[in-house]
C-alpha cells in the first residue's frame, strides 16, 4: 500500500495516493516493522500538504510524532518535527 501511495503521489494522482496511504495506515496494527508505517504517515502528510489540506497534513505529522515517541524511534521523531515545521511554514 505504501508503494502504491508513493507511485500515485509521483504521478500527481493525489486522491489515489491519499487512499493508498490511508489503507496502509489502517493495517498498521498488523505490521511489526515501523518503517512502512512511518512511510505511510510521511507520504500521507506530504500529499495532504500538496493538496493544500494543511490542517490534515499537520494532524498526520502529529500522529507520526506521537507514535514515534511511543516507540522510542528518535529518527522518526526528528523527521516528524521537521515535516511539521516545514508544513507550518506553508501557512
Amino acid at each position: 500500500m505504501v508503494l502504491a501511495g508513493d507511485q500515485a503521489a509521483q504521478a500527481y494522482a493525489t486522491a489515489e495516493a491519499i487512499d493508498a496511504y490511508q489503507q496502509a495506515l489502517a493495517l498498521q496494527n498488523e505490521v511489526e516493522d515501523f518503517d512502512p508505517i512511518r512511510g505511510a504517515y510521511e507520504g500521507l502528510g506530504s500529499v495532504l500538504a500538496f493538496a493544500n489540506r494543511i490542517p490534515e497534513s499537520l494532524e498526520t505529522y502529529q500522529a507520526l510524532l506521537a507514535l514515534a515517541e511511543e516507540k522510542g524511534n528518535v529518527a522518526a521523531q526528528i523527521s516528524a518535527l521537521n515535516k511539521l515545521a516545514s508544513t507550518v511554514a506553508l501557512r
Side-chain angles (χ1 to χ4, degrees), residues 2-3 5 7 13 20-24 26 29 34 37 43 49 51 62 66 68 71 74 76 78 83 85 91:
V2 177
L3 180 59
Q7 291 172 340
Y21 290 130
Q22 288 175 333
Q23 287 181 35
N29 292 332
F34 186 70
I37 297 166
Q62 288 168 340
K71 301 267 186 199
V74 176
I78 292 168
K83 288 173 177 23
R91 289 183 166 183

Side-chain angles (χ1 to χ4, degrees), residues 72-89:
N73 189 314
V74 176
Q77 291 173 43
I78 292 168
S79 177
L81 289 168
N82 283 333
K83 288 173 177 23
L84 277 165
S86 296
T87 304
V88 167

Side-chain angles (χ1 to χ4, degrees), residues 21-33:
Y21 290 130
Q22 288 175 333
Q23 287 181 35
L25 289 173
L27 301 173
Q28 69 180 307
N29 292 332
E30 300 174 25
V31 178
E32 291 184 30
D33 185 8

